[in-house]
Amino acid sequence: MFGFLFRKQRMVEELIGKYLDNLRMTQEYFTEALNICLEGSCKGDFDFMTEQTHKHESRADDIRDEIKDLMYSKALLPESRGDIMGLLEAMDLIPGIFERLLFMIGTEKIEIPEFIVTDVKELIEYSLASFDLMIKQVEALFKRGGEIRSMVSVIDRNESHCDHIERRIIAAIFSSPTLDPFRKILLKELIVTMGDISDQADRVSKRVNIISMKRIV
């Protein structure tokens, strides 16, 4: 009986590892697509990278559903499956943000003006650093690692820094004498959505920390 439960738990953990690997692939294609736009114009491989981002975002949904079916249909891990599903649902919002950003840039034909490119790169750099740490936190949670709390602090600092960069960029956009009002609004929406990456990584990080503390108690 207990051997059966252990094998099923291992299957859940292996699927979560697969889910995290897929998140990394989603991030990789998103970064490639965004860099193309930041380096000049959203042409060339931008559409291909956007399609790959969407493909891996959808794959993440499939793996998440597979994990849910395994946990609930087999009545496994009753004491923690709610925590795991809540964690997966929270993480899953981030690849959705990646996809939404590329969709906004592609369909609304948003060109990022040169005078904010450096700040946008900094915002994305800190946001994706938090995303990377968040994935490592989740891996540490299932491997019973001991670095979760220290990563919470770094992600929290990154989130505050991203808020500061976000406000700086928006101020620069609305101070521009050359941008028309409609383009300013589109750019503001784009920057706020970029800021959502670090916000959500911070929420997931705090959730991981709570789950970890519940295990200790």
Side-chain angles (χ1 to χ4, degrees):
M1 176 65 179
F2 292 115
F4 168 79
L5 290 175
F6 179 75
R7 283 195 302 275
K8 296 300 180 184
Q9 182 168 333
R10 286 290 303 162
M11 288 172 65
V12 170
E13 291 179 359
E14 286 171 5
L15 277 174
I16 289 172
K18 196 174 172 183
Y19 177 83
L20 296 176
D21 288 342
N22 195 77
L23 285 192
R24 287 192 173 95
M25 292 298 296
T26 311
Q27 177 197 356
E28 186 175 316
Y29 284 111
F30 162 74
T31 305
E32 289 287 335
L34 187 62
N35 282 340
I36 290 171
C37 294
L38 291 172
E39 294 303 325
S41 62
C42 302
K43 296 179 181 176
D45 290 334
F46 175 78
D47 289 341
F48 173 75
M49 295 301 174
T50 298
E51 287 172 8
Q52 292 301 310
T53 304
H54 171 68
K55 175 183 170 184
H56 285 86
E57 191 274 339
S58 297
R59 178 64 183 138
D61 288 343
D62 294 340
I63 299 171
R64 185 198 59 200
D65 291 342
E66 200 174 339
I67 294 169
K68 182 178 179 181
D69 290 344
L70 183 59
M71 286 196 300
Y72 283 88
S73 65
K74 304 295 183 183
L76 294 171
L77 309 169
E79 77 284 359
S80 61
R81 61 189 179 195
D83 283 338
I84 293 175
M85 282 314 303
L87 182 62
L88 289 172
E89 297 286 349
M91 279 195 293
D92 205 48
L93 293 176
I94 299 182
I97 296 171
F98 293 160
E99 189 178 27
R100 188 160 71 252
L101 281 167
L102 298 181
F103 181 79
M104 290 167 68
I105 291 170
T107 58
E108 298 173 14
K109 312 297 181 190
I110 299 177
E111 293 182 8
I112 299 172
E114 181 65 31
F115 69 89
I116 62 169
V117 165
T118 300
D119 284 339
V120 169
K121 285 181 177 178
E122 187 181 359
L123 176 59
I124 290 297
E125 179 184 346
Y126 275 91
S127 298
L128 295 184
S130 289
F131 181 74
D132 286 336
L133 279 176
M134 180 202 78
I135 290 178
K136 288 177 183 175
Q137 257 190 329
V138 177
E139 288 174 334
L141 179 70
F142 286 95
K143 291 177 182 175
R144 277 65 175 173
E147 300 178 352
I148 290 174
R149 287 192 180 182
S150 63
M151 287 189 275
V152 171
S153 299
V154 176
I155 292 172
D156 186 55
R157 283 200 302 274
N158 282 355
E159 191 271 336
S160 297
H161 190 60
C162 285
D163 283 347
H164 176 71
I165 301 170
E166 184 182 326
R167 288 193 291 269
R168 189 171 72 211
I169 297 173
I170 291 172
I173 289 169
F174 282 91
S175 298
S176 170
T178 56
L179 292 176
D180 69 69
F182 180 66
R183 192 175 172 200
K184 287 179 180 178
I185 292 170
L186 289 181
L187 282 168
K188 178 190 174 185
E189 185 183 3
L190 185 74
I191 298 304
V192 169
T193 305
M194 285 181 182
D196 289 344
I197 298 172
S198 64
D199 290 342
Q200 190 58 29
D202 188 48
R203 292 187 193 101
V204 173
S205 168
K206 289 180 169 63
R207 184 183 284 262
V208 170
N209 194 41
I210 290 170
I211 296 172
S212 174
M213 287 191 292
K214 284 166 68 176
R215 282 181 175 176
I216 294 171
V217 173

